Amino acid sequence: MRYGRGPGRLVKWLLDPFALVGVLLILVTVLLDRPGAAPGLSLACAVVPFQLVVMTVLNAMGAVVARRSILLNLDFDRVLIPLSSACTEFAAFGASAVLLAGMMAVYGVAPTLALLWLPAVLAVTAAFAVGCAYAAALFGLWFPELRSLGLSMVRALFFLAPGIVAIEDIPSPADDWVKLNPLSGLFEAFRSIVLDGTAPAAWSLLVPLGAAALLLALAFPVFRRDQAHFAKVLG
Amino acid sequence: MSDAAIVAEGLGVRFLFDRHRRPVTPALARLRRRGEERWGLRDVGFRAGPGEGIALVGPSGAGKTTLLRAIAGILPADRGVLRVGGRVTTLLSIDAGLLSPLTGAENAELLGVLDGRTVRAARAQAGAVRRATGLGEEFGRPVASWSQGMRARLGLALAEQGAPAILLLDEVHEALDHEFRAVLEEHARALLAAGGIIVAAGHDHPMLERICERGLLLRDGAIAADGSFAAVREAYVG
């Protein structure tokens, strides 16, 4: 639906991540004059997982209200709603694989055996997105007037992570603090396997995985208990 | 279809509000400063068996929609007991649970899956739903461009799938053309003849009387009268 129904929707789907990286690429290489090594690919390694997370949060915050007509007419397992938000965005996220491959070709970065870590990195990214989805779905339903603020806070996490600059360019001790941001781990894990050709550091997978577990432990039981009463708020 | 049954004993459905009178869920009520609480249904008790058509009448805000939603499983019983036997289908709004950006076929598949079918079964069923609606080419177009009557036709066609035992109607029939009303009445009578249960709420008493022999008068969330439709209507409108 997001990309329309015509034949151009595939093109729109593929161009979406390119457009986002393009904006940041201009910012880093032209305005800030800090090109670094393969800046486009380094940025893509951050933008790709970030897009999944931020779009999942955006989708999930409105997911319950968007299904109002179904919720008020049909009894079904509403626990699936945030999961469907994450799955939808994961499908859109597929276009990002083309972006990563394109950037590798542009900068002449050859694929290595480290790419075998990709399923694990994707699984951690997906787990974090699902955790965010349950928390965001409740937040969006409970505090609809604060949705914009919530989205801004998630976007701020990008700039509190090594998104535009690599983590080795962040001075100590700030680099240690930055590692507590789950997005930092995701960004660095993608950079390790795509850009550096090395296995991701343990912290880069464990921190976002821990954050995912924490979010699910907090939000999922509340969502499951509260979902039976959603119609009272929507009706 | 003889397993169709509805049993309500001391049924209560509670709505919570914050101090700004916004409705809140129980978990949110713990986070926000609580306002008033209101019982949408209070101590509701009745039984319905196979072949029974029950009309819910009463003023707006009396609890008719809340009772239908509770029977459908859309709202939980906060007090008392509600047991429903048999497959329940609903037409509780003109939109009938349809999503406007999706086509009729896509809505049929989505609602089929949410109703417990596999994707393959829901997809296979979409053809039968299309024929039942009689909408032809429109079935492949987004529902956003459809009239209310067309949406209701799809809603009823979806409700007919999977042999429902209980059909719940909430004023949907009152916003539709005479042709569709006739279709709906025919469907309702067939369901009753097969041992199903109809529970219909609305203000179109002549139509309700044609499909429901029994009436429940609701006032302030409680049952004020229960009996033949004629007697209940008399108690309501005098």
Side-chain angles (χ1 to χ4, degrees):
Chain A
M1 289 307 101
R2 182 179 304 160
Y3 302 107
R5 289 185 176 277
R9 66 179 172 178
L10 180 65
V11 177
K12 291 177 201 165
W13 175 62
L14 288 171
L15 284 180
D16 205 22
F18 281 94
L20 189 67
V21 171
V23 170
L24 292 173
L25 195 58
I26 291 169
L27 177 73
V28 171
T29 59
V30 179
L31 298 179
L32 299 180
D33 194 25
R34 291 180 61 181
L41 182 56
S42 179
L43 267 177
C45 288
V47 169
V48 164
F50 175 69
Q51 269 298 88
L52 173 66
V53 172
V54 78
M55 292 307 290
T56 298
V57 167
L58 180 63
N59 188 322
M61 280 200 295
V64 174
V65 175
R67 291 158 179 82
R68 181 180 181 278
S69 66
I70 302 178
L71 271 159
L72 294 179
N73 199 69
L74 192 67
D75 177 28
F76 68 99
D77 193 356
R78 301 165 186 95
V79 166
L80 298 174
I81 291 175
L83 192 61
S84 77
S85 293
C87 288
T88 301
E89 297 309 328
F90 214 77
F93 172 80
S96 303
V98 180
L99 171 68
L100 285 175
M103 287 293 178
M104 288 175 79
V106 166
Y107 291 103
V109 176
T112 68
L113 284 177
L115 277 176
L116 293 174
W117 279 93
L118 188 59
V121 174
L122 287 176
V124 172
T125 308
F128 183 62
V130 170
C132 289
Y134 279 94
L138 283 175
F139 182 84
L141 181 69
W142 289 354
F143 308 106
E145 69 280 11
L146 296 180
R147 278 189 209 165
S148 298
L149 178 67
L151 194 62
S152 297
M153 288 171 69
V154 175
R155 284 188 175 134
L157 284 178
F158 180 85
F159 296 99
L160 294 172
I164 293 178
V165 294
I167 199 162
E168 56 264 26
D169 295 330
I170 298 175
S172 186
D175 58 343
D176 288 333
W177 287 105
V178 160
K179 286 179 181 174
L180 294 176
N181 180 347
L183 291 179
S184 299
L186 298 179
F187 298 173
E188 288 304 306
F190 272 92
R191 282 187 183 126
S192 295
I193 63 171
V194 173
L195 184 59
D196 304 331
T198 60
W203 73 268
S204 69
L205 297 180
L206 291 177
V207 171
L209 202 56
L214 183 64
L215 283 168
L216 281 172
L218 291 174
F220 184 79
V222 179
F223 190 96
R224 194 175 53 187
R225 276 200 306 272
D226 229 24
Q227 54 88 22
H229 301 269
F230 285 170
K232 293 178 180 176
V233 177
L234 299 171
Chain B
M1 212 176 280
S2 57
D3 62 337
I6 302 171
V7 178
E9 294 168 355
L11 175 65
V13 175
R14 182 180 58 172
F15 290 84
L16 301 172
F17 297 87
D18 67 8
R19 63 196 172 102
H20 299 297
R21 295 188 175 183
R22 289 176 296 200
V24 293
T25 60
L28 181 57
R30 291 190 199 99
L31 297 177
R32 278 190 172 160
R33 204 182 297 173
R34 285 275 285 272
E36 63 177 6
E37 67 173 44
R38 191 173 61 81
W39 286 88
L41 292 178
R42 291 181 293 113
D43 198 26
V44 168
F46 73 97
R47 287 167 184 263
E52 206 164 7
I54 300 179
L56 304 180
V57 296
S60 297
K64 303 186 295 293
T65 298
T66 302
L67 179 54
L68 287 169
R69 285 179 181 163
I71 295 169
I74 294 165
L75 288 174
D78 294 310
R79 187 177 285 168
V81 174
L82 177 64
R83 286 192 296 273
V84 178
R87 187 170 172 275
V88 180
T89 57
T90 56
L91 269 178
L92 299 182
S93 68
I94 292 292
D95 278 339
L98 306 176
L99 294 180
S100 292
L102 303 184
T103 65
E106 290 165 345
N107 269 297
E109 286 177 26
L110 174 64
L111 293 175
V113 169
L114 291 179
D115 202 25
R117 297 180 191 90
T118 63
V119 174
R120 182 177 292 186
R123 210 164 268 169
Q125 194 181 53
V129 174
R130 176 186 172 141
R131 284 188 294 279
T133 60
L135 290 172
E137 291 295 312
E138 285 296 325
F139 194 69
R141 300 201 175 106
V143 166
S145 63
W146 290 14
S147 68
Q148 288 188 337
M150 292 160 75
R151 291 173 194 222
R153 278 177 189 275
L154 177 54
L156 183 64
L158 287 167
E160 282 178 329
Q161 304 300 311
I166 300 171
L167 176 63
L168 307 176
L169 301 168
D170 189 10
E171 299 182 8
V172 172
H173 45 283
E174 297 178 6
L176 301 172
D177 56 55
H178 290 286
E179 186 189 352
F180 183 76
R181 285 182 181 212
V183 171
L184 191 59
E185 282 185 41
E186 186 185 337
H187 172 79
R189 274 192 284 270
L191 182 64
L192 291 172
I197 297 174
I198 306 266
V199 185
H203 300 281
D204 182 350
H205 293 173
M207 179 173 174
L208 288 176
E209 192 166 25
R210 286 197 293 275
I211 55 176
C212 301
E213 291 184 353
R214 181 179 168 193
L216 289 180
L217 172 60
L218 288 162
R219 283 193 200 279
D220 297 326
I223 293 180
D226 180 355
S228 71
F229 182 81
V232 168
R233 183 180 56 189
E234 181 66 19
Y236 176 38
V237 296

